[in-house]
Amino acid sequence: LHSLPVQLKWVGQQLKSGIEATGAPFSERVYVSRADADRRHVTNEESVIQRLSERGFERYEPVRYSLDEQIHIFANAEIIIGPHRLAYTNLIYAEDATLVELFPRDGATETYFVATAELDLDYEYLECPTTDAGVHIRPRDRDLTVPVAELVGVVDEYI
């Protein structure tokens, strides 16, 4: 996603302008799940979703949606939460959103911090304890356990 901010915004606007309304209501508060992935799972995802749903969040697995639906999900989002993943390239459709990225301990990257800065969006991250995954798994690819109370505290600052 390293590009000129004006280019990123232009691409997002062009793609958004070419889609039809989906008719499906998507929440402005988005939790992006990695349940479909082979790594970087949230081990306590049900607890996370339960607490976030009390604040109006809906759980989404972007791979299960069409491109038009993914554009709508991210274009209408006010806050997006979830583990680091490629689906956040959809941030180019966001207008005025905050990304709260969840990282396994010692696995943070600057990718979407830079992208949100370039897109003039807000960014927060939360470092989470990891499961013991063995020595051959990079820290950023380990499963993580979200400190739910801490996440809710971060969320409450933005909603």
Side-chain angles (χ1 to χ4, degrees), residues 9-140:
K9 290 179 182 181
W10 182 85
V11 168
Q13 290 168 350
Q14 293 303 305
L15 288 168
K16 279 193 302 190
S17 70
I19 64 169
E20 300 282 327
T22 64
F26 296 111
S27 176
E28 292 179 339
R29 296 176 181 177
V30 174
Y31 174 80
V32 180
S33 175
R34 284 189 58 87
D36 62 315
D38 63 350
R39 60 191 170 161
R40 216 176 304 127
H41 295 113
V42 173
T43 60
N44 60 336
E45 187 168 76
E46 291 307 314
S47 297
V48 170
I49 292 168
Q50 179 183 355
R51 290 293 300 276
L52 291 177
S53 68
E54 295 168 2
R55 287 161 172 75
F57 282 83
E58 293 288 331
R59 178 182 179 266
Y60 299 99
E61 291 175 50
V63 69
R64 299 190 186 279
Y65 294 91
S66 70
L67 176 60
D68 286 5
E69 290 170 322
Q70 289 182 48
I71 291 171
H72 281 290
I73 290 168
F74 282 82
N76 296 319
E78 75 173 80
I79 186 166
I80 303 157
I81 299 173
H84 177 77
R85 66 177 298 146
L86 189 57
Y88 294 141
T89 57
N90 286 315
L91 290 169
I92 64 171
Y93 312 120
E95 297 285 330
D96 185 24
T98 298
L99 172 63
V100 179
E101 198 169 15
L102 307 173
F103 282 109
R105 182 154 290 130
D106 299 324
T109 71
E110 76 284 349
T111 305
Y112 296 112
F113 168 76
V114 172
T116 55
E118 290 175 346
L119 293 165
D120 199 27
L121 304 173
D122 292 324
Y123 179 87
E124 292 286 337
Y125 78 95
L126 185 61
E127 189 176 67
C128 304
T130 61
T131 59
D132 182 17
V135 295
H136 299 294
I137 297 177
R138 297 181 301 184
R140 77 172 188 214

